[in-house]
Amino acid sequence: MSQTKARKPSSFQSIKSLPTDFRFMGGDQDGDEMMLSDTIPENVEAEESDNDESPYSSLDISAKDEISSNGDNNGHNDFKDTTNTNPVRSPKKSHVDSKWGDTTPYASKKIVQSWVQLPDGNWELGTTIRTFDNESLLVLDEGKVLKVKTETLVPANPDILVGVDDLMQLSYLNEPSVLYNLQYRYNQDMIYTKAGPVLVAINPFKKVPLYGNDYIEAYKRKSVQNPHVYAITDTAMREMIRDEVNQSIIISGESGAGKTETAKIAMQYLAALGGGSGIEYEILKTNPILEAFGNAKTLRNDNSSRFGKLIEIHFSETGKISGAKIQTFLLEKSRVVQCSEGERSYHVFYQLCAGAPPTLREKLHLKSAAEFKYLSQSNCYTISGVDDAEQFRVVTEALDIVHVKKEDQERVFAMLAAVLWLGNVSFTVVDGENHVEPVLDEGLTNVATLLGCNVEELKLALSTRKMRVGKRNDTIVQKLTLAQAVDTRDALAKSIYSCLFDWLVEQINKSLAVGKRRTGRSISILDIYGFESFERNSFEQFSINYANERLQQHFNRHLFKLEQEEYIQDGIDWAKVDFEDNQDCLNLFEKKPLGLQSLLDEESTFPNGTDLSFANKLKQHLDSNPCFRGERGKAFTVRHYAGEVRYETTGFLEKNRDLLHVDTIQLLSSCTCHLPQAFASSLLNQSDKPVVGALHKSGGADSQKLSVTTKFKGQLFLLMQRLENTTPHFIRCIKPNNFQSPGTYNQGLVLQQLRCCGVLEVVRISRSGFPTRMSHQKFARRYGFLLLDHVASQDPLSVSVAILHQFNILPEMYQVGYTKLFFRTGQIGVLEDTRNHTLHGILRVQSCFRGHQARCHIKELRRGISTLQSFIRAEKTRKEYAILLQRHRAAISIQTQVKAKIFRKNLKRLSDASTVVQSVIRGWLVRRCSGDIALLQFGGRMGNETEEVVVKSLFLAELQRRVLRAEAALRVKEEENDILHQRLQQYDNRWSEYELKMKSMEEVWQKQMRSLQSSLSIAKKSLSFDDNSHRNSDASVNGNNDERDSSSSWDTGGILRIHQSSNGGRSAASPGLTVISRLAQEFEQRSQIFGDDAKFLVEVKSGQTEASLDPDRELRRLKQMFEGWKKDYGSRLRETKLILNKLGSENGSSAGKPRNKWWGRMNSSRMN
């Protein structure tokens, strides 16, 4: 069938129920289109966060600015004719004319959108532009105009329901609407859609970003409400903990629909929720083992599960996984020995041939897959994108994790190799009756070696059959024909592989055993084949469809029970809804003694029974059954719940018998290997009830006590009994195309699967009552702002009833429950249209106001940004200037150092050059001296050479003498220098003593001056006395001062002499006092100067002070200056003495002696 593309709704392009990271990838939106804001005034609240109860509250709404009458009436303005091919225009109506009281039924408008089925079987959406008596004129998306009968049109849903995540929300539930909704979501990579209680999963055939730890955490926290396997699994987990009831997740679908991957995703979520004990890792690692031994490549699926499985995961009281158990159903054993062209046998055979290590290959005598007949008959050995060698490594690693020992693993691989070598066993005819025996070649020998049996016993088991006859049960040996021998060989191969598969599952269950941790809480994941209907249907489809009939009945019961419970709990007026029951079809299969299975088992017991005789027997006994119809030849048709299926009885009896005779079982039991013995024991103990009749006589009683149909029926009853005790959750997997191509959606194929898995029937049952339901609070919040009167203070129920009355919703179209409002199909359309128009106007006002707010805000923001930029730029400039200034200073410092270095280099270069010049000059001087000698030599060149040598030696001796004299002079100078240093030190010491003496003299002088002043005052008072008395008084004063220093006596005497000439004698004493004062001041000044200079020179010489002078030379100069001053000072002292003597001689003779005595003491002290 042709594929169609999902149409893009132009008015509603954003759906909140989609994944959070989803964006519509269609064409550009119209320029005048805008989206509904999440923020609406309180009285017109558009959306609420807690919208899990409303089927519409999860949708965004967008609309055109200008709405035609089509949009006013039904909300469909997506399909407008933009070409000239459709001149018909619908009349426009003013928006004011559209009254809220318009109660015309939503589906009865003249201009509506409808689905029309094209001749190729596909559905197309068209807009009705004109209606005649019983015909309608439609325009399709491409602008094509069709004229069809009105009764063939199927109504389409409003645009608000495009892409809903639950098919229950569709106002019009029909095949094209369901197909389109699923296709729309599939094109957006939204592969999960709810159909009431069922999750529909469409295989994307590619990786989609819907899985991982982030999604697991989101669904765990309930922050995401989109349909998902995680959501179903999380619901099962919560209900198990809350209700303490076991849960089950039933996954079905045809081959290639993604059942295995869906089961693994559910297990991953359970492992993430209940992990922590470590066993969850072992549970996940069972998947590669079961896929390797139970999955194969088919024409429809590269990883098709050829068996059904139920994984029962147990949990502890704290919600942690405590163990698991796996149960398998109906393994397709025929695939071991027979494969169609382009298909493969089970994966493990190819993985073993490609990935076995060299030691194992040698031990098992392995070859390439093309060299084994069982694998080469399909001419398909690899799968695109799959590395069989790497997968073999994964399988061996998984076997280690589930605690299968290395020895047991080698035994498993030996059984697989034995099965492959059995296919290479050939036969040769030994007589004219076409009896055969196996050829003793490599194949037969390797089979015997791998099984651990005798080659001769293996030959007999494959070419002969023992039979018991007579009353004594005598045993006879019957040789087999070629066809019988091949069937025996293939039966042995199928039995070994089937027993090996069951043994592996048993070992896995032992590893995952719950033990003492069992609490009774469990979640079962059922991955079972879906309903199958092919061009040629055989025994496998017969059994699979029977199982689906049983599951469908269980599903219908559960669904109907949930619906009825909800209606009863809400107290609505509810009448029982009839639904199509498949009990008649189940009776056709199970009825005894004239059911399909009973007749099949009966015919299988007859040795002469054939497929044709079985078909005739069915026609004879079941022709009157309404679910059965006999066909020509070996075919018959059964009317299943999902449709009629035509079965071919070819191979039915052989597959149902699946005989393994007693000879083969005895062969397995006689093997030395452990596994064949365990297989034989399992085959003998499959049933406790023996089979009587012809089957017993044929020798098959010991080998096969139950038929395949009987065993499968028993397993199915146990499975249904287990599911009845759980709360089921259903996942239906859909395959969108047969080419495993991403993005391709085949309407016919999808519709067939929807019918087969009963999705449409499920939704119809769910919708037979009131499919649209909404709580009172949600309804009041969503539509309360449409009321003409303000009813904000009323309760939600009153608001909801007022809304229903205002819009004249007929009472039979809704029911008011305790907590919810229940609506019939299509009744919500009028409310949605009115709500959309109102919200469009609100959005226009909001957009203008928000635009104004945004412009004001942007202006303020720009001003703030400008101010902030100015501050930032200023700060940046200041920082840059500081850095620049720092760099400038650093540059100056560097330049200083560089210039100093350059100057030092120049100075050193100049010094070196000066040295060179000096050396040149000195050399020149030496050469000049030698030149004078040479002149002397030239003047006496008439002498002989001996004289010339003598002259030169004399000159050199003279130079040496000069050097010695210079060295001696240098030593003398150094000695003189040392002497001078010593003298200078002595002078320094003397100078220090002089300073001390001068200080003491100054003190004495001060005291004498004070005494003289007192004496002068006394002298003034005694002027009136005679000279004698005055002298005596003065002498007494002098006698008291005899012990004073010479300098003091000297000064006192001078003062007395001045005082004695009191008749004007003060003028005669003044010169002496002045001279003495000057000498004392000069002495002090010179002492200070010489002391400072000497101290400075000592510091320079010791290195404490730097100065560009020679300290020794300065000391000598200072010494000379001191000696000169000392001589001058001494002469002046002598002159002063003479003056003082003259002044003393002028006094009277009575005073002479004391004066001489005082002066003598002064002189003696001076000399000292």
Side-chain angles (χ1 to χ4, degrees), residues 200 260 282 402 411 430 438 512 587 595 618 892 1058 1077 1140:
V200 178
T260 302
E282 296 182 27
V402 298
R411 293 168 184 167
V430 296
L512 305 178
N587 292 336
L618 294 179
I892 292 175
I1058 294 171
S1077 299
L1140 290 177

Side-chain angles (χ1 to χ4, degrees), residues 343-583:
E343 296 186 347
R344 292 205 321 177
S345 185
Y346 291 103
H347 295 324
V348 69
F349 291 122
Y350 305 91
Q351 295 171 2
L352 178 64
C353 293
T359 55
L360 184 62
R361 296 181 65 89
E362 182 179 357
K363 185 176 180 180
L364 303 182
H365 310 287
L366 288 176
K367 297 182 178 181
S368 64
E371 298 183 59
F372 293 108
K373 293 182 180 179
Y374 280 162
L375 305 181
S376 61
Q377 56 186 334
S378 64
N379 294 324
C380 181
Y381 308 105
T382 59
I383 300 176
S384 177
V386 177
D387 186 356
D388 288 324
E390 175 63 20
Q391 292 302 315
F392 181 78
R393 186 193 63 78
V394 173
V395 171
T396 54
E397 178 183 345
L399 290 173
D400 292 334
I401 293 175
V402 298
H403 309 296
V404 178
K405 299 179 181 178
K406 288 293 184 181
E407 297 81 3
D408 290 338
Q409 293 183 29
E410 291 184 359
R411 293 168 184 167
V412 169
F413 298 143
M415 292 300 101
L416 294 175
V419 171
L420 293 178
W421 281 113
L422 270 174
N424 287 11
V425 173
S426 58
F427 299 92
T428 180
V429 178
V430 296
D431 56 22
E433 297 180 1
N434 202 24
H435 293 153
V436 296
E437 67 178 13
V439 177
L440 187 60
D441 57 3
E442 182 184 17
L444 188 67
T445 304
N446 289 336
V447 172
T449 302
L450 294 171
L451 292 178
C453 64
N454 186 272
V455 176
E456 294 300 327
E457 293 180 356
L458 179 61
K459 288 179 61 177
L460 291 176
L462 295 178
S463 60
T464 61
R465 181 181 301 171
K466 295 180 181 179
M467 301 182 64
R468 294 186 297 272
V469 295
K471 296 180 179 181
R472 298 180 181 180
N473 288 332
D474 296 332
T475 301
I476 63 173
V477 178
Q478 179 184 0
K479 293 183 178 182
L480 301 180
T481 63
L482 179 60
Q484 292 173 337
V486 170
D487 290 341
T488 302
R489 179 198 65 185
D490 293 344
L492 176 60
K494 291 188 293 184
S495 297
I496 291 175
Y497 189 81
S498 176
C499 292
L500 177 63
F501 184 79
D502 295 337
W503 180 87
L504 269 176
V505 174
E506 182 182 356
Q507 298 303 310
I508 293 174
N509 288 333
K510 289 180 181 179
S511 174
L512 305 178
V514 180
K516 296 181 180 180
R517 296 171 293 178
R518 182 184 297 273
T519 61
R521 299 179 182 178
S522 66
I523 296 179
S524 301
I525 300 177
L526 178 63
D527 176 9
I528 198 167
Y529 10 66
F531 189 88
E532 293 184 355
S533 177
F534 305 136
E535 293 183 1
R536 180 181 178 85
N537 300 284
S538 186
F539 178 76
E540 289 78 12
Q541 285 70 41
F542 179 81
S543 302
I544 288 171
N545 292 339
Y546 164 64
N548 277 271
E549 287 287 352
R550 268 290 172 193
L551 291 174
Q552 182 65 24
Q553 187 185 52
H554 170 70
F555 174 72
N556 289 342
R557 288 179 182 176
H558 174 74
L559 175 65
F560 184 75
K561 180 181 178 181
L562 288 182
E563 287 290 316
Q564 189 165 354
E565 283 181 355
E566 185 173 4
Y567 293 151
I568 294 174
Q569 287 176 359
D570 246 70
I572 68 172
D573 186 10
W574 163 249
K576 183 178 180 181
V577 178
D578 295 330
F579 63 95
E580 184 178 356
D581 194 1
N582 62 342
Q583 188 60 47

Side-chain angles (χ1 to χ4, degrees), residues 26 76 264 566 612 837-838 883 912 923 1033 1106 1153:
H76 300 299
K264 290 195 291 187
E566 185 173 4
L612 182 59
H837 298 328
T838 305
I883 294 173
D912 294 342
S1033 175
E1106 294 182 359
K1153 293 182 180 179

Side-chain angles (χ1 to χ4, degrees), residues 964-974:
L964 292 175
R965 285 197 298 271
E967 291 178 354
L970 179 61
R971 285 194 295 271
V972 171
K973 293 297 183 182
E974 289 178 353

Side-chain angles (χ1 to χ4, degrees), residues 584-638:
D584 292 340
C585 187
L586 287 175
N587 292 336
L588 174 65
F589 276 88
E590 299 172 353
K591 187 177 180 180
K592 293 182 180 180
L594 298 178
L596 288 173
Q597 295 174 339
S598 299
L599 293 175
L600 177 60
D601 286 342
E602 177 182 345
E603 192 67 19
S604 298
T605 59
F606 296 130
N608 298 327
T610 62
D611 298 329
L612 182 59
S613 63
F614 170 62
N616 293 332
K617 181 177 290 189
L618 294 179
K619 298 173 187 178
Q620 178 183 355
H621 295 284
L622 302 176
D623 232 4
S624 59
N625 193 303
C627 296
F628 178 86
R629 184 174 71 250
E631 301 289 346
R632 183 178 302 177
K634 300 179 181 180
F636 66 93
T637 300
V638 176

